[in-house]
Amino acid sequence: MSILQKHYKQIFIYISIIITTALLFDISTIFASTANIGYCSTAPGVTGAWDGNEDSKFGIYQDGQWFLDMNGDGSWDSSDTTYENFGKGRTDAQAVAGDWDGDGTDEIGVYDKGMWFLDMDGNGSWDSNDDATYENFGVGRVNAQGVTGDWDGDGTTEVGIHQDGQWFLDMNSNGAWDNGVDTTYENFGVGRAKPCPIKEKKSPTHLGPNITIGLYAYTEDELKDNSFRIKSEKSFIIKNKAGAKIATIPANTTTKVKYLDDSNHTLHIYDSIPETFVSDEIVFELEDPTDTEMVFEIVRPEIRFSQYRGKIKLRYSNNNSVKRIWVINELPLEQYIWSMGEITGTGPMEYNKLMTTAYRTYGYWKILYSTKYATEGFKVNATPGNQLYHGYEWEQSYPRIREGAESTRGKIAEYDNDVALTPYSSWTDGHTRSFEEH
């Protein structure tokens, strides 16, 4: 057996033990694009008395976009309402609705793993001064479903959660659990644990929830002195932090951005469009949202990898006085795996399958739970500190990684009904060292 074969065998056994000790679980049942029902649908339904009448009308929600049937005629027309950004970026959030302020009109909201965001003023956009956030009602209950209702009959809607027959209701409307005040029902629906039955047929093209990756960061001085440059072989659009479109950029046209050192954290966009100034964040994304083959090129000679699928963001952050402008890549989880830098995929295919499963599991855990880089605006960084990620050029150079990922699409390791955080190594010489030897 060669040294290389020995290493592959050792790694294969090691990760096999980890993943089979846990439970292989198919998260494509979470993000399959066909046959979902209930609140897990890719465009779930939501109902409410949007116009203040007693009769409820329906609507749909998808990644921050809301479409509400205001006149109740069951068809989309000019009198109906669209909200573009309430909940955007919270990939797994559940749409909810209720009369949060007791005025007789239902407003929208989202529930995301214990956090509630409620549109108190009914304008369909997030206003930190006017809208409400509940931080901990349901936190830690991974598969819980958010529910709403007027639990105390006072005309105002309160929140609650349901998980496998257990109900927790916020009776005093403060968005926090208070023993002795709030209500628990223990057994209504117990044993009926799966709220999202999925047919066996899954879409082969659906690529999972989006993950955000911090590629690298500029200091303020670096981006004042040198421009960030980006282009694509396809046309793309530029948006600001609020999601408003700034411009459409033709294919193969370079856009430049510099940082202006001021209190508004201003980013200066130029060359491809007339000089434009934007605060805090710029988003570069595909013009056609159905195009899964969009690739951006970041023109920066000193970086090894420069091409990335999905969206690119420039975002200012100030984390404990460490001020940086981050370059962030956002793309579907499966495409993220295709560019994993931990392996080259040139070894046995079973090894590739195992490694892509471990990589997917870690990425999905990060999507659900990671807050380490919340201030910076992403879930994982592209270094060995999290997982190596090299982008489109790596994917093209090592296509067997993608082959391994596609053959395990949606598979993660799960333990005790939760995502297992599986440590792994992409290389070993077979010797376990003590801390002193390290």
Side-chain angles (χ1 to χ4, degrees):
M1 179 183 295
S2 71
I3 297 295
L4 185 61
Q5 288 172 325
K6 179 181 177 183
H7 291 165
Y8 279 133
K9 184 176 181 180
Q10 289 165 338
I11 297 166
F12 183 88
I13 293 170
Y14 170 61
I15 302 177
S16 292
I17 291 170
I18 292 170
I19 291 180
T20 55
T21 300
L23 169 68
L24 268 181
F25 176 66
D26 190 348
I27 59 168
S28 58
T29 62
I30 294 173
F31 58 69
S33 63
T34 59
N36 291 2
I37 65 170
Y39 69 90
C40 296
S41 168
T42 54
V46 60
T47 60
W50 314 126
D51 58 1
N53 293 328
E54 291 184 0
D55 294 338
S56 290
K57 285 85 176 174
F58 56 74
I60 59 172
Y61 168 79
Q62 186 174 42
D63 189 23
Q65 286 191 306
W66 299 76
F67 303 88
L68 306 182
D69 182 28
M70 300 300 290
N71 59 8
D73 66 352
S75 63
W76 183 256
D77 49 55
S78 59
S79 65
D80 295 329
T81 295
T82 303
Y83 299 139
E84 292 290 341
N85 292 300
F86 200 95
K88 188 172 180 62
R90 295 188 168 271
T91 311
D92 300 317
Q94 174 196 338
V96 295
D99 186 1
W100 315 128
D101 55 4
D103 67 353
T105 299
D106 285 344
E107 294 85 31
I108 62 174
V110 294
Y111 170 72
D112 190 8
K113 297 179 288 294
M115 297 186 69
W116 297 78
F117 303 88
L118 308 182
D119 182 29
M120 300 299 292
D121 58 8
N123 68 351
S125 64
W126 178 255
D127 309 297
S128 57
N129 293 328
D130 299 321
D131 294 331
T133 303
Y134 300 146
E135 295 285 346
N136 293 302
F137 202 97
V139 72
R141 294 185 172 270
V142 179
N143 298 313
Q145 176 186 4
V147 294
T148 62
D150 183 4
W151 314 130
D152 57 3
D154 67 352
T156 300
T157 301
E158 291 84 35
V159 302
I161 60 168
H162 168 247
Q163 185 178 38
D164 190 23
Q166 285 190 307
W167 299 77
F168 302 87
L169 308 183
D170 180 31
M171 301 300 293
N172 61 1
S173 304
N174 68 349
W177 179 256
D178 304 300
N179 280 324
V181 177
D182 294 330
T183 296
T184 305
Y185 298 130
E186 293 290 341
N187 294 302
F188 198 92
V190 71
R192 298 180 177 270
K194 297 294 184 182
C196 301
I198 308 295
K199 294 181 181 178
E200 290 186 1
K201 182 179 179 181
K202 306 178 187 71
S203 166
T205 59
H206 197 72
L207 299 169
N210 281 4
I211 187 168
T212 48
I213 309 106
L215 300 178
Y216 58 88
Y218 292 94
T219 66
E220 292 176 305
D221 288 340
E222 284 174 336
L223 201 55
K224 281 193 293 181
D225 297 336
N226 303 282
S227 64
F228 169 83
R229 303 180 184 195
I230 189 169
K231 65 180 181 179
S232 176
E233 292 183 353
K234 299 180 180 181
S235 63
F236 62 92
I237 58 178
I238 303 177
K239 292 182 176 181
N240 64 17
K241 180 175 66 173
K245 180 178 174 181
I246 297 171
T248 299
I249 309 300
N252 299 308
T253 302
T254 299
T255 297
K256 297 180 180 179
V257 182
K258 281 191 173 183
Y259 178 72
L260 300 184
D261 187 12
D262 65 8
S263 59
N264 293 320
H265 318 137
T266 301
L267 297 162
H268 174 202
I269 311 169
Y270 63 103
D271 250 29
S272 62
I273 61 173
E275 289 189 313
T276 303
F277 301 92
V278 177
S279 295
D280 293 321
E281 182 176 295
I282 304 172
V283 181
F284 306 91
E285 64 181 54
L286 57 167
E287 188 173 24
D288 177 4
T290 65
D291 184 356
T292 61
E293 299 301 318
M294 181 75 170
V295 177
F296 282 103
E297 180 179 356
I298 298 170
V299 185
R300 190 181 181 191
E302 66 270 29
I303 62 174
R304 182 182 174 191
F305 302 106
S306 60
Q307 295 182 354
Y308 299 93
R309 292 179 179 271
K311 300 178 184 179
I312 298 292
K313 300 178 183 180
L314 271 182
R315 177 186 167 99
Y316 175 88
S317 74
N318 183 352
N319 190 347
N320 294 324
S321 298
V322 179
K323 300 175 181 179
R324 294 288 185 268
I325 299 91
W326 275 92
V327 180
I328 299 169
N329 184 201
E330 179 180 339
L331 77 168
L333 179 61
E334 291 298 316
Q335 290 186 331
Y336 167 67
I337 299 161
W338 300 347
S339 299
M340 65 177 291
E342 307 284 353
I343 60 174
T344 59
T346 52
M349 184 50 67
E350 290 304 308
Y351 169 80
N352 297 340
K353 292 178 182 179
L354 218 65
M355 287 299 292
T356 53
T357 300
Y359 194 90
R360 180 185 296 108
T361 300
Y362 185 84
Y364 191 58
W365 186 94
K366 282 284 192 175
I367 291 171
L368 291 179
Y369 300 119
S370 180
T371 58
K372 181 176 182 179
Y373 303 107
T375 300
E376 290 83 358
F378 55 86
K379 290 291 187 177
V380 296
N381 68 35
T383 71
N386 283 178
Q387 296 190 128
L388 277 174
Y389 166 74
H390 292 326
Y392 183 71
E393 292 143 308
W394 192 265
E395 173 197 326
Q396 294 298 295
S397 297
Y398 301 105
R400 280 168 57 83
I401 299 174
R402 177 172 175 174
E403 184 180 342
E406 289 184 333
S407 65
T408 61
R409 187 181 72 88
K411 297 291 193 303
I412 63 166
E414 188 184 61
Y415 178 77
D416 196 21
N417 293 318
D418 201 357
V419 184
L421 188 55
T422 51
Y424 68 90
S425 171
S426 59
W427 189 90
T428 177
D429 63 2
H431 177 60
T432 303
R433 291 170 175 79
S434 68
F435 176 79
E436 290 80 8
E437 291 179 280
H438 181 66

